[in-house]
Amino acid sequence: MSSYITLDHGSGGLTGQILIQELFFRYLPDPVLHQLEDAAVLPEPCGRIAFSTDSYVVDPIFFPGGNIGELAVNGTINDLAMQGARPLALSLGLILEEGLRLDDLENIIESIGAACEYAGVPVVTGDTKVVPRGKGDKIFINTSGIGVVGKDIEITTGRVREGDILLLSGTLADHGVTILTSRAGLEVAGNLQSDTRPLHFLVEKVLEQEGGAVHTMRDPTRGGLGTTLAEIARATNLCMEIEEEDIPMHGEVRAACELMGLDPLYLANEGKCIVVAAPARAEKILRIMRSVPEGAESRIIGRVSKKYPGRVVLTTVAGGARLVEPLSGEPLPRIC
Amino acid sequence: MKYVDEYRNRNLVLALIKKLHARTTMPVSIMEVCGTHTMSIFRHGIRNMLPGQIQLISGPGCPVCVTPSSVIDAFVELAGRSDVIITTFGDMIRVPGSNGSLADARAEGADVRIVYSPMDALTIAAKEPEQMVVFLSVGFETTTPTIGATILAAEQQGRDNFFIFPANKVMPPPLDTLMQDPRLKVDGLLCPGHVSIIAGADSFRFLVDRYRLACAVAGFDPVDILLAILALVGQVQAGKPRVENCYGRAVTRQGNTRAQSLVNRIFTPVDSEWRGLGTIPASGLALRPEYSAFDITKKLDIRAAPSSEPRGCRCGEVLKGICMPKQCPLFGSRCTPANPVGPCMVSSEGTCAAWHHYGGLEKKQIEGGKNEERQK
Ligand code: SF4
């Protein structure tokens, strides 16, 4: 094989076949995928079906702590998990730009395979297209996923009540800051890393024991914690009160945010969730979340009240209070 | 993680707030000159904790905001050239000019890249020798030395495809102009710490001498800001204005003389247009003739056309502190951060953006809130 992606790789001919057989199948072992049928046929599910899709266009495609491939796997798994679904299978759609290095592609597919294996969720169907140079940006990935939702699980903002407790499963803004700093070529002391990781194990454990007490869950990806909470506030017409001091954050992240004039509340997370839970069960849920590695740094960060209906209020480290509005427009680093 | 930083310590902050409430006996209006202060005051929720008699007014200290529309238009026009790569700090790219913004130009195919330092622009120039790489040189005293250092590096490397579009400004002259405006009622100035690190606390002395303004140089953490406000209230009430350095851990009276001489070596003062304030003598910086080879406006003979403000936008008055963002009829309706009409809504340091983003919580709303409880 040549060492770059060419238009031939997407033509459906032999070159494409070789790519699939020699590269993709090496890392994606699922037998249903290997049948190369037009659609994957899966065993009958036991429960309601959750179905989700997301596209990934991150730049750079490799970043500290991960790459676009595992991001695409974990992202869709997490979207399913946030509805209380147990993920069953994924589809993988690749749009490659002519000229993409094959070893880059291999690295990405390899980490897709590894992420699927770790999560226990196979890729069962896929598609690859190649676009001419300049019509894409190295690689775009779409993943869709299906999962099943257990019988008594009902995760919806409609169940959020006054007095509910807000829990966050770990440190804030790791992914967003990592991407922005690596895009900027900024050297930040310490080690910044994307937090990309699947959350369905954590969710499963929580729901197994405390399913009834979990009212809603969200993963604060694009738009960050601030925007996600603002959405919950708006949807429920309740007030989300959070404490800045209680929001876990790495020192490096805080430093990088100050340097670039960015508010960590609006930066993306790729392996964190907000859990809104009944007050009586919150401490127990916190303990469960902390018992798994991806939730080890979980914290209670606030509560639901009626103080300012439809709004998010933050008590700052300094002891002041301010509203947190949803993000509008990309966060841009400032002039200083 | 708990914030251990003493300059954000909640108990210290609350103690200072208490002190302010006890000490403030008359109305005091304070202008925070710099956008970074405006943002920090909002972000930490300080505004809502201050005594009602203290009025905070935002000033002209946002470099993006004060760049006049004529210059923005010239940036956008330059970006349209196929032989030019524009490099700029991030918040410049969404500022609307009369024919769209740099972001619009980029969508139409212009090569506009966000950089974090002018040095990055020089790196791009080395990588793309066929293109003219232009750094949009905007910013105050804090930014200029780095740009100067980049020019020197470019000279040393013999780089002939690296240019700047000089639009740097200095802080003292517009403050002078501003204070002559009878519509503006200000008793004291919260002077920007980072500008003072370079320029020195003494650079604000003339405001005391000429206008009997109380001045306090402040850092950007809550404790810094409150200490400075306390100092200003003290000065104003005692009727003894002076320049008080409340950021002694970073600022000296003379400032960073090495940085100053670097800037003087490369730049020379020129008259410069400010949005809202008009043309102010010796308030901008141009490259000295020895370095004019790096000036894209010389190379391509670019002359800024006259400025025209976006229709209905009151940024000019907002920058002068005589109009509050909420008094602008477009605020929050036609003008939002996602869809800005004026620059004050774009920059992360812009006054309108700050009010739009953080200004929703009015003083009366937090009565009985946690703050009061904690103050007791
Ligand atoms: S709200 Fe918008 S239009 Fe009005 S002054 Fe501010 S930036 Fe200009």
Side-chain angles (χ1 to χ4, degrees), chain A residues 32 40-46 49 88 146 148:
Chain A
V32 181
V41 179
L42 304 173
E44 207 169 324
C46 47
I49 295 196
L88 293 178
I146 55 170
V148 284

Short mmCIF file of all heavy atoms in Angstrom, two decimals, chain A residues 32 40-46 49 88 146 148:
data_model
loop_
_atom_site.label_atom_id
_atom_site.label_comp_id
_atom_site.label_asym_id
_atom_site.label_seq_id
_atom_site.Cartn_x
_atom_site.Cartn_y
_atom_site.Cartn_z
N VAL A 32 -19.92 -9.53 12.94
CA VAL A 32 -21.00 -8.93 12.15
C VAL A 32 -20.41 -7.93 11.15
O VAL A 32 -20.80 -7.88 9.98
CB VAL A 32 -22.03 -8.23 13.07
CG1 VAL A 32 -23.15 -7.63 12.24
CG2 VAL A 32 -22.59 -9.21 14.10
N ALA A 40 -26.00 -4.19 9.45
CA ALA A 40 -25.73 -5.16 10.51
C ALA A 40 -27.05 -5.63 11.10
O ALA A 40 -27.92 -4.82 11.37
CB ALA A 40 -24.88 -4.50 11.60
N VAL A 41 -27.17 -6.91 11.26
CA VAL A 41 -28.38 -7.44 11.90
C VAL A 41 -27.98 -7.93 13.28
O VAL A 41 -27.07 -8.74 13.43
CB VAL A 41 -28.98 -8.58 11.06
CG1 VAL A 41 -30.22 -9.14 11.76
CG2 VAL A 41 -29.33 -8.07 9.68
N LEU A 42 -28.65 -7.39 14.29
CA LEU A 42 -28.27 -7.66 15.67
C LEU A 42 -29.33 -8.49 16.36
O LEU A 42 -30.48 -8.50 15.95
CB LEU A 42 -28.08 -6.35 16.42
CG LEU A 42 -27.08 -5.38 15.79
CD1 LEU A 42 -27.10 -4.05 16.50
CD2 LEU A 42 -25.68 -5.99 15.82
N PRO A 43 -28.96 -9.18 17.45
CA PRO A 43 -29.95 -9.96 18.20
C PRO A 43 -31.06 -9.05 18.73
O PRO A 43 -30.85 -7.86 18.94
CB PRO A 43 -29.15 -10.55 19.36
CG PRO A 43 -27.73 -10.29 19.07
CD PRO A 43 -27.62 -9.25 18.03
N GLU A 44 -32.19 -9.63 18.98
CA GLU A 44 -33.33 -8.89 19.49
C GLU A 44 -32.97 -8.21 20.82
O GLU A 44 -32.46 -8.87 21.73
CB GLU A 44 -34.47 -9.88 19.72
CG GLU A 44 -35.83 -9.26 19.60
CD GLU A 44 -36.89 -10.35 19.56
OE1 GLU A 44 -36.62 -11.41 18.96
OE2 GLU A 44 -37.95 -10.14 20.13
N PRO A 45 -33.24 -6.94 20.97
CA PRO A 45 -32.88 -6.26 22.21
C PRO A 45 -33.91 -6.52 23.30
O PRO A 45 -35.05 -6.87 23.01
CB PRO A 45 -32.91 -4.79 21.81
CG PRO A 45 -33.91 -4.72 20.70
CD PRO A 45 -33.88 -6.05 19.99
N CYS A 46 -33.45 -6.41 24.55
CA CYS A 46 -34.39 -6.59 25.65
C CYS A 46 -34.60 -5.25 26.34
O CYS A 46 -33.95 -4.95 27.31
CB CYS A 46 -33.85 -7.63 26.63
SG CYS A 46 -32.13 -7.33 27.03
N ILE A 49 -35.18 0.98 22.95
CA ILE A 49 -33.94 1.25 22.21
C ILE A 49 -33.58 2.73 22.28
O ILE A 49 -34.44 3.60 22.08
CB ILE A 49 -34.10 0.81 20.75
CG1 ILE A 49 -34.29 -0.70 20.71
CG2 ILE A 49 -32.90 1.25 19.91
CD1 ILE A 49 -34.09 -1.30 19.37
N LEU A 88 -24.94 -0.94 22.90
CA LEU A 88 -24.79 -2.28 22.32
C LEU A 88 -23.84 -2.31 21.14
O LEU A 88 -23.02 -3.21 21.01
CB LEU A 88 -26.15 -2.79 21.83
CG LEU A 88 -27.22 -3.07 22.88
CD1 LEU A 88 -28.50 -3.52 22.18
CD2 LEU A 88 -26.73 -4.14 23.85
N ILE A 146 -26.45 2.36 19.13
CA ILE A 146 -27.73 1.98 19.72
C ILE A 146 -27.46 1.34 21.07
O ILE A 146 -26.40 0.76 21.32
CB ILE A 146 -28.56 1.03 18.84
CG1 ILE A 146 -27.74 -0.21 18.47
CG2 ILE A 146 -29.04 1.72 17.57
CD1 ILE A 146 -28.59 -1.27 17.83
N VAL A 148 -29.79 -0.14 24.89
CA VAL A 148 -31.10 -0.44 25.46
C VAL A 148 -31.23 0.21 26.83
O VAL A 148 -30.27 0.31 27.59
CB VAL A 148 -31.35 -1.96 25.60
CG1 VAL A 148 -31.68 -2.56 24.26
CG2 VAL A 148 -30.17 -2.64 26.25
#
